[in-house]
């Protein structure tokens, strides 16, 4: 990953963080890193709504829940309609899985990793971006959208076989989601000047993200996650480290920027030209339309 030395932000004092009363939606905030972020931001005084399949924070002050299976684009569309979009200050996308050893397909005919880790984000983002934060006080700054993935790692994806119908391999399938999320940031930064969009690369963190690949609670999974747990920061430590970045005024004018696991700015992947992004987005929107729902940006 290449650092972007031109974009530097100052760590605000924890007490100086302007969080009280901020309205935040975390799509994928029921587990792993999204959950750590939702609990941390709620503790600091934010009003958080999390979207996921299983709510694990009932009774935690400041956290509300919308249940959804985001492998389905029609569910993504419903979530977009249910979110309090006009009053949101910030949206964080953390929903994700890892591609399975054999190709899995959703009831809507989409390769499952692509659906859960990328395509539903595109549907939700395109539906909410134009009216995001429009009913907040004008002094609040632009609303912010953070997309978590693995930006800056050089992945460009395969727009010609996005749904992995011609051939399926685990890593290329997952890399379509990695590339897609990075391109969604770059594309949205141009498409929606009313809001700001950022990519987050948390690096390896011990969570459930690899269950679909390694098998839940298998020996392989326990060994891999234990090693990651030993060597890398926990989801809670990462959440505390990254919260000041989410809130600092210093990134206001840098829509489209990406950040590594320490919150340092990194450069986008080489190869993500305007033409490549246009092709990838067109292929993604065509897949959404194939599921029978409309894409708000088409
Ligand atoms: N952990 C890492 O090593 C790592 C490394 C690089 C990038 N990332 C990125 O970080 C982000 C968060 O990953 P994580 O590690 O926190 O993963 P995680 O612990 O597996 O959490 C994933 C979240 O996605 C939700 N989710 C999964 N399938 C869903 C579905 N069908 N419908 C609705 N929600 C669903 C889960 O909700 P439920 O539990 O309620 O189903 C959970 O809230 C992802 O974008 C991932 O690509 C993680």
């Amino acid at each position: 990953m290449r650092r972007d030395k031109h974009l530097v932000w100052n760590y605000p004092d924890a007490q100086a963080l302007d969080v009280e009363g901020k309205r935040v939606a975390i799509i994928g905030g029921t587990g792993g890193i999204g959950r750590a972020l939702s609990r941390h931001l709620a503790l600091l005084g934010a009003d958080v709504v999390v979207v996921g399949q299983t709510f694990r924070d009932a009774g935690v002050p400041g956290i509300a829940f919308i249940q959804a299976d985001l492998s389905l684009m029609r569910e993504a569309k419903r979530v977009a309609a249910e979110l309090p979009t006009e009053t949101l200050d910030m949206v964080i996308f953390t929903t994700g899985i890892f591609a399975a050893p054999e190709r899995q397909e959703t009831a809507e005919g989409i390769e499952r990793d692509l659906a859960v880790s990328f395509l539903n984000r595109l549907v939700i983002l395109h539906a909410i971006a134009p009216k995001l934060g429009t009913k907040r006080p004008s002094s609040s700054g632009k609303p912010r959208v953070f997309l978590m993935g693995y930006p800056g790692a050089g992945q460009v994806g395969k727009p010609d076989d996005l749904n992995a119908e011609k051939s399926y391999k685990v890593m290329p399938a997952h890399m379509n989601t990695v590339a897609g999320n990075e391109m969604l940031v770059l594309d949205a930064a141009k498409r929606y000047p009313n809001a700001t969009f950022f990519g987050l690369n948390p690096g390896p963190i011990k969570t459930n993200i690899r269950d679909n690949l390694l098998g839940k609670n298998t020996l392989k999974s326990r060994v891999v996650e234990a090693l990651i747990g030993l060597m890398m920061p926990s989801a809670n430590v990462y959440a505390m480290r990254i919260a000041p970045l989410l809130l600092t005024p210093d990134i206001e004018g840098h829509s489209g920027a990406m950040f590594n696991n320490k919150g340092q700015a990194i450069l986008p992947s080489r190869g993500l030209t305007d033409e490549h992004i246009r092709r990838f987005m067109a292929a993604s929107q065509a897949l959404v339309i194939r599921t029978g729902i409309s894409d708000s940006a088409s």
Side-chain angles (χ1 to χ4, degrees):
M1 256 171 277
R2 298 168 299 145
R3 289 272 307 279
D4 179 357
K5 302 242 169 78
H6 297 291
L7 171 48
V8 179
W9 60 277
N10 291 311
Y11 241 76
D13 195 301
Q15 279 78 35
L17 289 178
D18 179 21
V19 200
E20 193 67 43
K22 282 251 185 297
R23 304 195 73 179
V24 180
I26 308 187
I27 323 296
T30 49
I33 304 170
R35 183 178 179 213
L37 278 169
S38 78
R39 293 174 65 94
H40 185 59
L41 293 173
L43 196 68
L44 293 174
D47 188 359
V48 183
V49 57
V50 295
V51 182
Q53 298 179 105
T54 313
F55 193 36
R56 302 175 177 92
D57 294 308
V60 176
I63 305 185
F65 174 53
I66 297 176
Q67 200 276 333
D69 174 2
L70 291 173
S71 67
L72 299 172
M73 299 311 115
R74 62 167 184 272
E75 283 277 272
K77 203 80 182 181
R78 174 180 65 82
V79 165
E82 282 186 25
L83 285 171
T85 302
E86 287 91 345
T87 54
L88 286 174
D89 296 287
M90 188 186 296
V91 182
I92 307 172
F93 288 92
T94 56
T95 315
I97 56 170
F98 215 98
E102 301 289 329
R103 185 177 184 278
Q104 298 174 321
E105 198 173 88
T106 68
E108 293 175 335
I110 306 294
E111 188 275 310
R112 188 154 164 256
D113 190 11
L114 190 79
V116 177
S117 307
F118 168 61
L119 215 52
N120 77 82
R121 297 183 180 192
L122 177 142
V123 169
I124 296 173
L125 188 146
H126 283 177
I128 66 174
K131 50 187 178 159
L132 195 58
T134 45
K135 291 199 178 140
R136 303 169 313 144
S138 55
S139 57
S140 315
K142 289 185 182 182
R144 292 182 173 184
V145 179
F146 292 90
L147 289 121
M148 196 168 286
Y150 218 84
Q155 298 300 328
V156 299
K158 290 166 83 182
D160 295 335
D161 191 23
L162 200 53
N163 205 24
E165 284 162 301
K166 292 182 197 145
S167 75
Y168 178 82
K169 284 197 184 118
V170 171
M171 286 317 275
H174 191 63
M175 290 311 141
N176 268 335
T177 77
V178 166
N181 277 299
E182 182 167 350
M183 282 185 257
L184 202 47
V185 172
L186 297 170
D187 183 67
K190 287 195 176 152
R191 211 185 272 260
Y192 305 110
N194 58 304
T196 49
F197 301 86
F198 305 98
L200 295 175
N201 186 331
I205 290 183
K206 184 181 177 210
T207 65
N208 297 325
I209 191 84
R210 284 158 289 268
D211 280 0
N212 207 35
L213 175 67
L214 304 175
K216 198 172 170 58
N217 288 327
T218 58
L219 180 64
K220 208 193 233 175
S221 164
R222 285 197 306 243
V223 170
V224 169
E225 296 305 327
L227 285 174
I228 293 175
L230 276 177
M231 292 186 295
M232 298 296 170
S234 67
N236 286 336
V237 167
Y238 172 71
M240 279 192 274
R241 186 188 277 175
I242 219 76
L245 168 69
L246 307 183
L247 297 153
T248 178
D250 297 357
I251 63 169
E252 174 82 13
H254 296 276
S255 189
M258 322 271 169
F259 300 92
N260 68 15
N261 62 342
K262 296 195 173 75
Q264 297 159 323
I266 52 175
L267 292 167
S269 295
R270 287 195 177 99
L272 296 184
T273 59
D274 287 352
E275 173 55 19
H276 183 77
I277 295 175
R278 195 198 56 70
R279 276 183 58 221
F280 196 98
M281 285 300 142
S284 306
Q285 289 167 289
L287 263 187
V288 169
I289 289 163
R290 226 176 77 177
T291 69
I293 71 145
S294 59
D295 168 54
S296 307
S298 291

